[in-house]
């Protein structure tokens, strides 16, 4: 089987039309100059699901792909620990057959964006707005797809910043150089944040499904995953930008000096944090809007009115005392 980099060079003939809708297995071969072994060959893979919805395009990513045959992918380090095998992994015949038939995935770490636009003009999730206060940090991701009818370019941009902080930006790029197999295989160049570079192959896959075997309902898995991870993630939600800002916010709250706009800013930051956790768990926040708003108000009350620290709020969440 040709490697990704070699296949990417065979793109001289006109490219077949690409229909994005469906499930794709994305395999990346890369090297990372930010590590102490910049020449080490590395790999990663994921599933992308594209669904057309009226004038929108829903793009879902599942970063944990599950194969029945783990050969060449992971090696066991201990009783319950596994490590990704270094080198450029390529699917063996059995694994390639499973890609065609349909893979399983773990919902942990999954993300979804709704993109607007068209195949002709390109698709983008947009950067979004929000408050830009000196006391708050904002994290925004923009996903886009360009040149769908020709050689598609998939771009992921993320930005962290605020009115009083320098903005940090990251860019992940999948630039198609050749379309093969009548539009069912895309190969091209991969680049991430200027440190990871290599090539990718995107192969149309059969219908995917969640990994089997837990015996729990989807609702139970979502509930456990949400509260199991929320406490840890909440500390990084960007509610306040630093200790001085938090101290000033606490002082004003105790003195009754907070305006409704101040409270709305805090509530919105909690709301955005909870939405992100729902989304990272592979759920559509729009379907859980009442629960998100309820929890955001409880977090606002615990933080501003009851004077609880983020650590105390984390413990309330872990113990189940603070829920939507």
């Amino acid at each position: 089987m040709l490697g990704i980099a070699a296949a990417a060079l065979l793109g001289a003939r006109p490219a077949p039309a690409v229909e994005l809708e469906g499930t794709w297995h994305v395999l990346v071969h890369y090297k990372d100059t930010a590590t102490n072994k910049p020449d080490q060959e590395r790999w990663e893979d994921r599933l992308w699901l594209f669904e057309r919805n009226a004038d929108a395009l829903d793009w879902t990513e599942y970063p944990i792909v599950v194969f029945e045959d783990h050969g060449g992918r992971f090696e066991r380090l201990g009783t319950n620990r596994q490590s990704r095998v270094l080198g450029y992994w390529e699917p063996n015949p059995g694994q390639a057959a499973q890609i065609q038939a349909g893979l399983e995935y773990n919902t942990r770490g999954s993300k979804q964006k709704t993109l607007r636009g068209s195949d002709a003009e390109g698709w983008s999730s947009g950067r979004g707005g929000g408050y830009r206060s000196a006391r708050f940090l904002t994290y925004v991701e923009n996903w886009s797809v360009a040149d769908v009818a020709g050689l598609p370019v998939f771009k992921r941009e993320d930005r962290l910043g605020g009115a009083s902080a320098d903005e940090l930006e990251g860019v992940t790029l999948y630039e198609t150089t050749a379309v093969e197999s009548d539009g069912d295989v895309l190969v091209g160049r991969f680049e991430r944040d200027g440190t990871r570079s290599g090539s990718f192959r995107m192969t149309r896959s059969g219908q995917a499904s969640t990994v089997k075997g837990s015996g729990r309902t989807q609702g139970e898995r979502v509930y456990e995953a949400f509260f199991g991870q929320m406490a840890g993630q909440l500390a990084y939600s960007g509610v306040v930008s630093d200790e001085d800002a938090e101290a000033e916010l606490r002082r004003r709250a105790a003195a009754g000096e907070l305006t409704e706009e101040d409270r709305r800013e805090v509530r919105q930051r909690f709301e955005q944090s909870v939405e992100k956790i729902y989304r990272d768990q592979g759920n559509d926040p729009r379907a859980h809007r009442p629960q998100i708003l309820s929890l955001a108000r409880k977090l606002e009350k615990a933080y501003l009115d009851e004077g609880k620290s983020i650590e105390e709020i984390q413990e309330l969440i872990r113990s189940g005392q603070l829920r939507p």
Side-chain angles (χ1 to χ4, degrees), residues 29 58 72 84 112 116-117 121 176 228 239 244 273 293 308:
H29 289 171
D58 291 332
R84 190 184 302 271
Q112 183 183 65
R116 304 288 179 180
E121 298 180 358
T176 303
V239 177
D244 291 340
S273 179
L293 292 177
K308 296 188 182 299

Side-chain angles (χ1 to χ4, degrees), residues 110-304:
S110 61
K111 296 182 178 182
Q112 183 183 65
K113 289 284 186 181
T114 297
L115 284 61
R116 304 288 179 180
S118 66
D119 285 355
E121 298 180 358
W123 298 90
S124 176
S125 65
R127 285 190 170 271
Y131 292 102
R132 290 181 59 82
S133 167
R135 300 196 306 272
F136 300 91
L137 294 176
T138 302
Y139 177 76
V140 179
E141 289 187 21
N142 180 43
W143 297 9
S144 64
V145 185
D147 197 16
V148 176
L151 298 173
V153 177
F154 306 87
K155 182 183 289 187
R156 309 272 290 272
E157 302 169 284
D158 51 84
R159 185 181 71 216
L160 176 66
S164 65
D166 293 334
E167 291 192 350
L168 301 177
E169 294 199 27
V171 177
T172 304
L173 185 71
Y174 302 80
E175 183 179 10
T176 303
T177 58
V179 178
E180 303 174 349
S181 301
D182 295 325
D184 287 341
V185 175
L186 282 63
V187 293
R189 182 175 69 88
F190 168 79
E191 187 79 24
R192 178 175 176 180
D193 298 340
T195 60
R196 296 186 180 186
S197 59
S199 53
F200 78 94
R201 181 172 65 247
M202 184 171 163
T203 305
R204 189 178 297 279
S205 176
Q207 183 174 356
S209 60
T210 55
V211 64
K212 303 176 180 64
S214 68
R216 291 169 294 171
T217 66
Q218 177 66 11
E220 290 171 334
R221 288 195 296 269
V222 169
Y223 192 82
E224 291 179 11
F226 179 79
F227 285 100
Q229 293 192 21
M230 181 180 176
Q233 293 182 19
L234 191 64
Y236 304 99
S237 63
V239 177
V240 290
S241 56
D242 53 44
E243 292 183 0
D244 291 340
E246 180 175 19
E248 174 62 14
L249 187 63
R250 296 287 194 190
R251 184 197 67 76
R252 295 182 62 208
E257 298 175 356
L258 292 181
T259 66
E260 181 54 37
E261 181 178 352
D262 292 327
R263 300 184 69 93
R264 185 171 62 248
E265 281 193 82
V266 172
R267 187 165 62 249
Q268 185 187 44
R269 296 310 302 139
F270 277 125
E271 180 183 328
Q272 291 174 344
S273 179
V274 175
E275 282 185 351
K276 182 179 185 302
I277 297 168
Y278 266 99
R279 192 176 296 109
D280 287 348
Q281 292 297 326
N283 301 290
D284 185 351
R286 293 171 296 186
H288 302 275
R289 189 67 179 165
Q291 293 92 332
I292 291 174
L293 292 177
S294 173
L295 185 55
R297 289 189 178 278
K298 291 181 179 180
L299 291 169
E300 171 204 346
K301 179 179 179 181
Y303 188 73
L304 294 180

